[in-house]
């Protein structure tokens, strides 16, 4: 990926925007402002407040540190601080889509993790002779988890499956290195007899 334009395209395809979080935040802010505006209009029109009038709310805020128990004020502050931290975290960190990029010279190739998992499971099935539905592969951003369930009495070594998986992943030329974990789940001999 040599050009900045190509890097931007790859980033756009592999990272998700925070549109949903921003939409929720904006809707909540609009609702809060609409409520405050409605209460102010009702107060100016000398009508009863829906919940709390502006004067009563201001008086409550001024008297909050002395009128309420300290534990309630601290708990409310902690809840507001946690909500603020969640919004700051969502604003700073990029969202990641379940995709990987492949080295393809001056072209951009983005592949869904499900495609990588399916191709790896099919390759392992062909190489080990174990049925495709007995192999489960999960691909994450930094790791690949392979679970193999060979039938009873089928000899299969974990190191063999690990080397097969790692060599196949190297042929995919992923731009980001990922860790491979292999688990062999054997059926109990009692279950096999049933």
């Amino acid at each position: 990926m040599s050009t900045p334009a190509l890097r931007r395209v790859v980033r756009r395809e592999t990272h998700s925007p925070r549109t949903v979080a921003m939409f929720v935040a904006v809707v909540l802010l609009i609702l809060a402002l609409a409520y405050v505006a409605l209460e102010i209009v009702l107060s100016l029109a000398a009508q009863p407040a829906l919940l709390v009038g502006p004067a009563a709310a201001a008086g409550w805020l001024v008297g909050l540190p002395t009128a309420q128990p300290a534990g309630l004020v601290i708990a409310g502050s902690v809840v507001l601080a946690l909500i603020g931290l969640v919004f700051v975290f969502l604003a700073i960190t990029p969202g990641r889509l379940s995709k990987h990029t492949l080295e393809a010279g001056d072209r951009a190739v983005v592949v869904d993790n499900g495609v990588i998992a399916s191709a790896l499971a099919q390759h392992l099935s062909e190489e080990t002779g174990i049925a495709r539905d007995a192999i489960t592969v999960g691909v994450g951003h930094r790791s690949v988890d392979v679970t193999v369930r060979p039938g009873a009495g089928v000899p299969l070594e974990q190191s063999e499956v690990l080397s097969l998986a790692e060599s196949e992943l190297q042929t995919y030329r992923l731009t980001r290195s990922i860790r491979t974990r292999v688990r062999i789940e054997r059926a109990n001999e009692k279950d096999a007899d049933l």
Side-chain angles (χ1 to χ4, degrees), residues 102-115:
L102 306 180
E103 292 178 13
D106 59 346
R107 297 182 325 186
V109 178
V110 179
V111 180
D112 189 74
N113 287 356
V115 173

Side-chain angles (χ1 to χ4, degrees), residues 73-92:
V73 173
I74 292 172
S77 300
V78 167
V79 167
L80 286 177
L82 288 176
I83 291 171
L85 284 175
V86 167
F87 280 118
V88 167
F89 176 77
L90 289 175
I92 293 174

Side-chain angles (χ1 to χ4, degrees), residues 2-131:
S2 57
T3 66
L6 192 57
R7 284 193 294 272
R8 276 195 310 271
V9 168
V10 169
R11 179 158 175 81
R12 186 176 57 232
E13 292 298 319
T14 58
H15 290 75
S16 67
R18 296 295 188 175
T19 309
V20 174
M22 192 63 170
F23 179 74
V24 169
V26 168
V27 167
L28 291 176
L29 183 63
I30 289 172
L31 289 175
L33 291 176
Y35 168 73
V36 169
L38 179 64
E39 290 291 0
I40 290 173
V41 168
L42 288 175
S43 174
L44 291 175
Q47 297 294 320
L50 288 178
L51 295 177
V52 178
W60 180 77
L61 280 175
V62 169
L64 186 63
T66 58
Q68 300 295 326
L72 183 63
V73 173
I74 292 172
S77 300
V78 167
V79 167
L80 286 177
L82 288 176
I83 291 171
L85 284 175
V86 167
F87 280 118
V88 167
F89 176 77
L90 289 175
I92 293 174
T93 59
R96 295 279 317 220
L97 295 174
S98 58
K99 296 180 180 181
H100 276 86
T101 56
L102 306 180
E103 292 178 13
D106 59 346
R107 297 182 325 186
V109 178
V110 179
V111 180
D112 189 74
N113 287 356
V115 173
I116 296 171
S118 180
L120 182 59
Q122 184 63 38
H123 174 75
L124 291 174
S125 172
E126 291 169 358
E127 290 294 320
T128 60
I130 295 174

